[in-house]
Amino acid sequence: MLAAFMAAAGVAAINHHANADGTVRCWGNPSGAGSAPAPADLGPCTSIATTAGTGFAIRTDRTVRYWDYSGSAVSTAITEWGQCVSIAAGGFHCLAIGVDGAVRGWGYNSDGQCNPPSDLGMCTSIAGGRYFSIARRIDGTVRCWGNNQHSQCNTPNNLGPCASVAAGAYHSIAIQIDGTVRGWGYNEYFQCNTPTWIWNQYTSAAGGWAHTIGLHSTGVVVCWGINSGGQCNVPNNLGHCSKVAAGWNHSVALKDDGTVVCWGSNMQGQCNVPSGMTRCLTVAAGDYGSMALEVQADCNNDGIGDACEIATGAPDFNHDTIPDTCQCIGDLFVDHQVNGADLGALLSQWGPANANTVSDMNRDGRVDGADLGHLLASWGPCTN
């Protein structure tokens, strides 16, 4: 059932312990699920979303976790949703597609934005606006529900079969299977009017308060609508991109090389991309915050992330999140040999240890039999 749904939906199969699993990184104002880090026990994830004050992620076991920054990060598992394959966030609510293709909603429900139509059926793409929701059904048709103050839930009669959907605060966006971007709803700043000066062949799109950002099939990012914070000033040297996201007045793009670029309003630090991030898989944006899913380190280049290897039993004797197979922990002299010199150093430091005691290899505050056993087990030339 799951494999058939994912194939029909065009969703790639998920390898639960592949290097595609990632670490969630956040920045910006906490009201946008920003500056505070994701929960330490979140683990590797495959999908992310953010809304005002809350971050959401799908873990590698396909369960949904969310956390907020109302004072301290609180991470909660949404067990009643079961396993999910994709997630999206609206103004104050969240949506997820389960492995059965059904859409589930949770959060603020003032206009029924969390109540999918009973006849919605299986869906492959979802998005949330301020107080409304939108989904692409498995047959390519689009349905909207929730607040309709700006006609954002009035799907155009001539809307053709679609590949995906997105949403701004008060406008809806759909990409037809021919690559055409269609927008409807609030349009005071022409955020629903796709530029005609460029060949209309897009692969994805995202919406902010009153702007739309589209990813052209050539990898070029195009933006239209309000530009009050410079959110539509796409950097000239941006280059080819693979993902886009939009916050209230800022824009985010993931370049082909896995680096993240932000532009627009930065009053809450939402465009201050953290330094030291490695290659990222996807990006998301809330009102005043941004998120990225960073690829796990893979020290032995076997296609399995280090965190996944450790989670499934790979030893990590010194608790540094790097599998022992990539290290020679007993080599205290770093001469690529575990021998008598290392043994002598360990015995000379026997007993209570501090943070600078290299012989305390498992960092338990003592140099003892556990450290001696690990050193003897790795005796001889280092192979890594």
Side-chain angles (χ1 to χ4, degrees):
M1 171 68 176
L2 171 61
F5 162 67
M6 296 182 76
V11 180
I14 299 172
N15 180 343
H16 281 201
H17 298 289
N19 201 35
D21 305 331
T23 301
V24 176
R25 300 290 296 271
C26 310
W27 62 97
N29 188 290
S31 67
S35 57
D41 65 345
L42 182 61
C45 299
T46 60
S47 183
I48 53 174
T50 179
T51 183
T54 309
F56 299 87
I58 296 179
R59 291 157 40 104
T60 53
D61 61 2
R62 297 196 182 107
T63 58
V64 175
R65 295 285 293 275
Y66 71 94
W67 61 97
D68 67 61
Y69 301 104
S70 57
S72 61
V74 178
S75 180
T76 305
I78 307 178
T79 56
E80 62 268 27
W81 279 359
Q83 292 187 321
C84 299
V85 295
S86 65
I87 195 167
F92 304 94
H93 69 291
C94 187
L95 303 165
I97 298 179
V99 295
D100 57 357
V103 175
R104 297 160 174 85
W106 176 88
Y108 188 58
N109 197 30
S110 59
D111 295 270
Q113 58 265 43
C114 295
N115 300 336
S118 58
D119 62 345
L120 183 62
M122 298 174 67
C123 294
T124 64
S125 178
I126 48 174
R130 202 64 174 173
Y131 305 109
F132 73 99
S133 302
I134 180 173
R136 184 261 190 191
R137 303 172 69 194
I138 198 167
D139 62 1
T141 59
V142 173
R143 295 284 296 276
C144 302
W145 61 96
N147 185 280
N148 196 33
Q149 179 182 0
H150 300 283
S151 299
Q152 63 266 44
C153 288
N154 294 345
T155 307
N157 292 329
N158 63 347
L159 183 66
C162 294
S164 62
V165 292
Y170 306 104
H171 68 290
S172 297
I173 305 162
I175 298 181
Q176 298 183 152
I177 58 174
D178 64 359
T180 303
V181 176
R182 299 287 301 276
W184 63 96
Y186 183 59
N187 196 34
E188 182 173 348
Y189 299 96
F190 308 108
Q191 62 267 34
C192 294
N193 298 351
T194 308
T196 58
W197 51 267
I198 191 169
W199 181 42
N200 201 0
Q201 188 73 39
Y202 293 83
T203 58
S204 63
W209 167 57
H211 77 288
T212 301
I213 179 171
L215 181 63
H216 197 259
S217 60
T218 58
V220 174
V221 173
V222 184
C223 187
W224 57 97
I226 195 170
N227 196 31
S228 56
Q231 60 266 45
C232 282
N233 294 341
V234 180
N236 291 329
N237 61 347
L238 183 60
H240 289 185
C241 296
S242 59
K243 304 283 185 181
V244 290
W248 197 251
N249 284 319
H250 76 287
S251 300
V252 186
L254 177 67
K255 299 182 65 173
D256 285 352
D257 63 2
T259 57
V260 177
V261 179
C262 297
W263 64 94
S265 175
N266 195 33
M267 295 180 66
Q268 307 296 327
Q270 61 267 45
C271 289
N272 293 341
V273 180
S275 60
M277 279 202 306
T278 58
R279 185 169 63 89
C280 293
L281 295 166
T282 192
V283 289
D287 285 4
Y288 308 109
S290 305
M291 298 174 70
L293 195 58
E294 186 179 20
V295 176
Q296 282 188 37
D298 180 16
C299 65
N300 53 13
N301 297 313
D302 63 353
I304 303 175
D306 294 344
C308 280
E309 287 202 37
I310 293 169
T312 54
D316 179 22
F317 187 71
N318 61 353
H319 308 292
D320 65 350
T321 72
I322 302 173
D324 293 349
T325 54
C326 292
Q327 300 176 294
C328 191
I329 301 171
D331 181 17
L332 305 181
F333 282 87
V334 198
D335 60 358
H336 305 291
Q337 291 278 337
V338 179
N339 53 27
D342 303 297
L343 176 60
L346 185 147
L347 295 175
S348 70
Q349 295 179 329
W350 196 270
N354 58 41
N356 296 318
T357 305
V358 295
S359 297
D360 179 20
M361 291 177 283
N362 64 352
R363 299 293 183 259
D364 65 352
R366 292 190 61 82
V367 177
D368 54 20
D371 303 296
L372 175 60
H374 188 84
L375 185 146
L376 294 175
S378 57
W379 195 271
C382 292
T383 58
N384 44 31

